């Protein structure tokens, strides 16, 4: 059974049909790319999948449960995490605190236990601190643990945002233009990171990207949309030779 | 790490006790006269008010301009409770056997009971206002909280049978003393500190940093916004209660918009997101108007001039979002880092 599945999902903004009849099905451990020209509705789809918008029609099934119309924080608990097109870190907090916030729901102590620092507070905080450090180690960022997030170099900020999303323990990770603003060297590193996390955490990944090199290089399947409608689906090779895709991207 | 925490606990507790003893000695030697002791009590009340507002404005990042409203709710709730329970508590205490009589001070019992009632009522009002108001943000939230603050004041002004209306409420037991206000302040600040350093506190701070990102990593933002706002109102209620029991007379007009602004100025000056900053600023801004009493006409002028200068040269407040810690300060002195900037990242390291 598919991990994430949408059925006839649509989004209507007043008179504008931003997304129409969108159907996608992503299996476990799959790497799927979502591409399309500017304004095609990619981010709108992301926002529907992560609960920022409620689809006006259709439904979203995540890991066998209907999550249509759920709030973003609830969808996180069902196992979908995301990053943003323009990086959204907790800029004035340290790198490790950024991770710890995503770790919030893994800790269970109550407000009063936290205020009076009872046994469970110390136990869970200590455990969380260690696990967050281990997490940073996976991303080679343990030396930056006490650095403010805003002082990180750009590439590392992207990496931190991905790490933070993974700290919520997702089954599927959605990346919104992870390579935006990166140079070829950084993009290459990012490709390696994406491959690495998929194998390490055994998760499915859905990514929106403009960088064709990146998309063609790592995605197993690609979905192309234009004006809110799916115009092509298939492997990178099929997509490369699809006349509709060529028309949309290069013109007649 | 644990060793360090223990050390700083011991250090903090002993310096708090030392300060208390020092003040008591100064008071008994009459160096701190009754007038000065009064100022110290006001400092403590302002610390409670500013620290609680800092939770809503500094940590949660929501501009709240109605803090005097919660203070008023607490003040009236506490005053009315104290007036109501005073006879029975005094009677109860006089029936206690001699052996434990000296252990229980009726004034303290009355004060603590009425403060808890005050806090709970103010907190409930905070929840009731917070749920609709916190859907807005920024300037809009500022305006709506300002409105609610005024609504509370006008309501108090108009329910004469309970609050005495515009004539004010008198006959409140005068039971706020330096001893109890000092320790209550210590407890309030300590609770706010540990709260902001727990997972719930981190959730609150993440809302200030980026609400959308916070929700995207699984934080229930609505819940924590209302929670932060309600806790701030709770402690504002306690601050109001202490005020009521010190002044012993309540006039609704003292809880107007300017009162809210005064508390906000303390928070902004001390640094939004720094409890120690709020403490320092509360001390400064309580002493300053008293010291400038001789130039009564120029008081507000100097006051606002100071703020303008502050905003130009250090807009983040005295401490910004950092906490002052003695051990950290000594550590820096020892490593000669006091002049060099805070731990910034060296690029490419």
């Amino acid at each position: 059974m598919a991990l994430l599945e949408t059925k006839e999902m649509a989004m209507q903004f007043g008179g504008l049909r931003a997304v129409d009849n969108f159907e996608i099905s992503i299996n476990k451990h799959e790497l799927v790319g979502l591409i399309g020209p500017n304004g095609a509705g990619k981010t709108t789809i992301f926002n529907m999948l992560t609960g920022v918008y409620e689809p006006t029609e259709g439904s979203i099934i995540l890991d066998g449960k209907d999550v249509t119309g759920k709030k973003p924080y609830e969808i996180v608990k069902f196992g979908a995490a995301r990053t943003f097109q323009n990086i959204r870190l907790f800029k004035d907090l340290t790198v490790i605190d950024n991770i710890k916030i995503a770790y919030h729901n893994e800790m269970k102590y109550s407000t009063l236990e936290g205020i009076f620092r009872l046994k469970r507070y110390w136990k869970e905080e200590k455990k969380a601190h260690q696990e967050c450090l281990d997490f940073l180690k996976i991303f080679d960022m343990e030396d930056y643990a006490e650095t403010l997030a805003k002082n990180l170099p750009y590439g590392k900020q992207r990496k931190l945002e991905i790490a933070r999303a993974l700290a919520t323990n997702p089954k599927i990770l959605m990346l919104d233009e992870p390579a935006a603003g990166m140079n070829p060297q950084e993009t290459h590193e990012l490709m390696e990171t994406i491959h690495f996390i998929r194998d390490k955490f055994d998760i499915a990944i859905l990514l929106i990207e403009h960088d064709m090199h990146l998309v063609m290089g790592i995605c197993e399947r690609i979905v192309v949309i234009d004006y809110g409608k799916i115009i092509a689906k298939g492997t990178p090779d099929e997509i490369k030779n699809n006349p509709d895709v060529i028309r949309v991207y290069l013109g007649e | 790490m644990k060793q360090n925490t223990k050390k700083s606990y011991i250090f903090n507790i002993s310096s708090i006790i030392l300060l208390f003893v020092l003040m008591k000695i100064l008071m008994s030697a009459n160096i701190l006269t009754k007038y000065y002791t009064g100022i110290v009590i006001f400092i403590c009340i302002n610390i409670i008010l500013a620290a609680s507002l800092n939770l809503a404005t500094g940590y949660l990042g929501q501009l709240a301009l109605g803090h005097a409203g919660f203070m008023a709710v607490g003040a009236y709730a506490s005053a009315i409770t104290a007036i109501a329970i005073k006879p029975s508590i005094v009677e109860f205490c006089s029936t206690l056997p001699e052996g434990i009589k000296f252990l229980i001070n009726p004034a303290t019992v009355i004060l603590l009971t009425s403060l808890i009632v005050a806090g709970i009522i103010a907190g409930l009002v905070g929840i009731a206002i917070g749920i609709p108001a916190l859907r807005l943000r920024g300037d809009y939230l500022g305006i709506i909280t300002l409105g609610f603050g005024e609504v509370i004041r006008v309501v108090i002004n108009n329910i004469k049978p309970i609050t005495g209306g515009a004539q004010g409420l008198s006959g409140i037991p005068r039971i706020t003393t330096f001893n109890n206000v000092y320790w209550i302040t210590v407890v309030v600040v300590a609770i706010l500190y540990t709260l902001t350093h727990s997972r719930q506190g981190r959730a609150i701070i993440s809302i200030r940093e980026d609400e959308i990102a916070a929700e995207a990593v699984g934080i229930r933002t609505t819940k924590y916004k209302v929670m932060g706002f309600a806790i701030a109102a709770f402690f504002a209620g306690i601050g109001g209660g202490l005020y009521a029991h010190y002044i012993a007379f309540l006039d609704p007009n003292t809880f107007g918009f300017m009162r809210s602004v005064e508390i906000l100025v303390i928070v902004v000056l001390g640094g939004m997101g720094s409890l120690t900053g709020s403490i320092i600023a509360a001390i400064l801004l309580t002493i300053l108007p008293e010291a400038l009493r001789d130039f009564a006409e120029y008081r507000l002028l100097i006051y606002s001039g100071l703020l303008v200068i502050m905003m130009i040269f250090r807009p983040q407040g005295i401490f910004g979002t950092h906490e002052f810690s003695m051990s950290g300060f000594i550590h820096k002195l020892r490593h000669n880092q006091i002049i060099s900037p805070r731990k910034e990242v060296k690029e490419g390291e």
Side-chain angles (χ1 to χ4, degrees):
Chain A
M1 194 188 57
L3 181 63
L4 177 77
E5 204 173 1
T6 65
K7 286 189 188 121
E8 295 173 4
M9 190 171 74
M11 185 77 210
Q12 184 99 23
F13 290 118
L16 174 76
R17 206 162 176 84
V19 175
D20 190 23
N21 197 16
F22 183 79
E23 297 207 343
I24 196 171
S25 147
I26 300 173
N27 295 318
K28 277 183 185 141
H29 203 69
E30 212 176 5
L31 228 167
V32 180
L34 178 64
I35 62 172
N38 282 328
K42 302 182 296 288
T43 301
T44 308
I45 289 170
F46 248 50
N47 283 341
M48 283 191 279
L49 293 178
T50 53
V52 178
Y53 297 148
E54 188 181 342
T56 42
E57 286 162 39
S59 60
I60 306 165
I61 315 287
L62 177 62
D63 202 19
K65 292 171 208 94
D66 188 347
V67 297
T68 323
K70 292 265 189 270
K71 294 260 167 54
Y73 73 85
E74 291 172 309
I75 289 190
V76 173
K77 282 184 196 157
F78 282 113
R82 71 170 295 182
T83 64
F84 294 88
Q85 193 170 342
N86 42 345
I87 304 178
R88 283 182 178 274
L89 289 172
F90 305 121
K91 289 197 195 73
D92 284 314
L93 302 181
T94 58
V95 167
I96 193 155
D97 275 350
N98 268 270
I99 306 281
K100 270 188 199 167
I101 287 167
Y103 216 70
H104 181 84
N105 291 318
E106 304 283 319
M107 290 182 265
K108 297 289 174 231
Y109 65 83
S110 68
T111 314
L112 286 181
E113 281 174 303
I115 286 176
F116 297 110
R117 302 205 159 171
L118 303 182
K119 215 171 184 177
R120 200 140 79 121
Y121 165 86
W122 291 111
K123 207 177 114 200
E124 291 190 5
E125 281 288 327
K126 199 178 163 194
K127 186 166 159 260
H129 187 79
Q130 193 50 50
E131 286 182 17
C132 291
L133 272 182
D134 291 345
F135 215 89
L136 287 174
K137 215 172 262 170
I138 294 173
F139 290 89
D140 263 335
M141 285 177 72
E142 72 268 32
D143 296 338
Y144 292 91
E146 296 302 325
T147 308
L148 294 186
K150 65 177 176 188
N151 292 336
L152 286 177
Y154 188 81
K156 291 257 189 276
Q157 289 194 7
R158 280 275 176 210
K159 222 173 178 180
L160 175 60
E161 206 191 15
I162 295 173
R164 188 183 65 184
L166 285 170
T168 62
N169 201 8
K171 298 187 183 88
I172 178 165
L173 177 67
M174 308 190 200
L175 305 170
D176 194 349
E177 292 201 24
M182 282 185 170
N183 61 31
Q185 163 72 21
E186 285 170 325
T187 309
H188 185 73
E189 269 175 41
L190 181 76
M191 281 170 78
E192 282 175 356
T193 311
I194 291 173
H195 261 300
F196 168 72
I197 55 178
R198 185 182 62 161
D199 295 336
K200 172 95 190 165
F201 296 94
D202 191 26
I203 53 171
I205 293 175
L206 170 66
L207 87 150
I208 293 181
E209 192 44 75
H210 270 309
D211 191 309
M212 283 303 142
H213 174 66
L214 179 93
V215 177
M216 297 295 169
I218 62 172
C219 292
E220 286 146 3
R221 260 186 331 120
I222 294 173
V223 177
V224 190
I225 57 166
D226 190 31
Y227 292 112
K229 290 195 176 72
I230 295 176
I231 59 166
K233 280 181 179 180
T235 63
D237 283 331
E238 285 166 10
I239 295 295
K240 256 182 227 167
N241 302 317
N242 186 311
D244 281 336
V245 177
I246 296 170
R247 182 175 51 79
V248 165
Y249 269 94
L250 300 174
E252 302 279 347
Chain B
M1 165 126 186
K2 194 131 199 204
Q3 197 66 33
N4 263 337
T5 348
K6 233 177 220 168
K7 237 187 218 170
S8 70
Y9 271 6
I10 294 167
F11 183 81
N12 286 338
I13 291 169
S14 49
S15 53
I16 287 165
I17 293 171
L18 208 70
L19 181 66
F20 181 74
V21 172
L22 187 76
M23 297 295 268
K24 284 309 265 186
I25 292 169
L26 286 175
M27 267 170 215
S28 58
N30 218 12
I31 299 169
L32 271 179
T33 58
K34 213 161 183 194
Y35 170 67
Y36 288 120
T37 311
I39 294 175
V40 172
I41 289 173
F42 268 118
I43 288 174
C44 288
I45 292 170
N46 279 337
I47 287 173
I48 292 175
L49 292 168
S52 64
L53 181 63
N54 208 339
L55 183 68
T57 304
Y59 290 94
L60 188 59
Q62 310 295 321
L63 178 63
L65 291 174
H67 217 53
F70 299 124
M71 184 189 170
V73 171
Y76 275 92
S78 179
I80 292 163
T81 315
I83 293 170
I85 63 171
K86 193 185 169 189
S88 49
I89 297 250
V90 170
E91 196 187 335
F92 173 74
C93 284
S94 62
T95 59
L96 286 173
E98 283 300 321
I100 53 167
K101 208 175 195 174
F102 71 97
L103 278 175
I104 297 169
N105 181 358
T108 316
V109 177
I110 295 168
L111 186 70
L112 289 180
T113 326
S114 41
L115 284 183
I116 288 167
V117 171
I120 289 170
I121 292 177
L124 289 176
V125 173
I127 292 174
I129 292 175
I131 288 171
L134 289 168
R135 288 163 175 267
L136 303 172
R137 44 189 86 164
D139 308 351
Y140 304 101
L141 180 67
I143 292 166
I144 199 168
T145 48
L146 189 158
F148 273 122
E150 288 298 290
V151 167
I152 290 172
R153 188 177 61 83
V154 171
V155 167
I156 288 172
N157 221 333
N158 283 289
I159 41 174
K160 211 176 168 197
I162 305 169
T163 62
Q167 283 173 0
L169 183 67
S170 52
I172 305 165
R174 202 183 159 138
I175 43 184
T176 299
T177 59
F178 172 72
N179 290 359
N180 49 41
V181 84
Y182 183 86
W183 291 110
I184 289 170
T185 309
V186 168
V187 169
V188 169
V189 173
I191 287 178
L192 286 170
Y193 180 82
T194 51
L195 173 71
T196 52
H197 287 74
S198 66
R199 79 184 175 107
Q200 286 80 7
R202 274 198 299 270
I204 286 175
I205 294 170
S206 75
I207 294 171
R208 170 191 77 192
E209 291 292 315
D210 194 324
E211 201 177 327
I212 293 169
E215 196 154 20
V217 294
I219 307 282
R220 286 182 68 173
T221 48
T222 320
K223 176 187 157 188
Y224 285 108
K225 271 162 101 171
V226 174
M227 185 178 116
F229 202 69
I231 294 174
F234 177 88
F235 288 121
I238 287 183
L242 287 167
Y243 174 83
H245 293 298
Y246 181 65
I247 296 287
F249 174 78
L250 288 177
D251 168 13
N253 291 325
T254 45
F255 304 106
F257 171 59
M258 281 318 288
R259 184 81 220 192
S260 297
V261 171
E262 272 172 36
I263 305 168
L264 185 68
V265 166
I266 296 177
V267 173
V268 173
L269 196 74
M272 297 211 268
S274 167
L275 289 172
T276 35
S278 289
I279 293 171
I280 302 284
I283 294 171
L284 278 179
L285 288 187
T286 315
I287 292 176
L288 195 71
E290 294 296 332
L292 297 176
R293 211 165 259 283
D294 295 341
F295 318 94
E297 299 96 283
Y298 303 107
R299 213 154 68 153
L300 284 174
L301 202 67
I302 297 170
Y303 200 76
S304 40
L306 192 80
L307 259 183
V308 171
I309 293 168
M310 190 72 190
M311 286 302 108
I312 292 171
F313 292 105
R314 204 170 161 77
Q316 71 271 45
I318 298 173
F319 284 112
T321 56
H322 301 288
E323 297 291 354
F324 176 81
S325 90
M326 206 59 205
S327 48
F329 185 70
I330 291 168
H331 179 84
K332 269 192 195 159
L333 268 186
R334 224 183 253 161
H335 293 78
N336 218 359
Q337 283 180 331
I338 201 74
I339 308 150
S340 63
R342 247 161 214 289
K343 234 189 204 166
E344 301 271 323
V345 170
K346 296 129 212 158
E347 290 268 333
E349 221 183 54

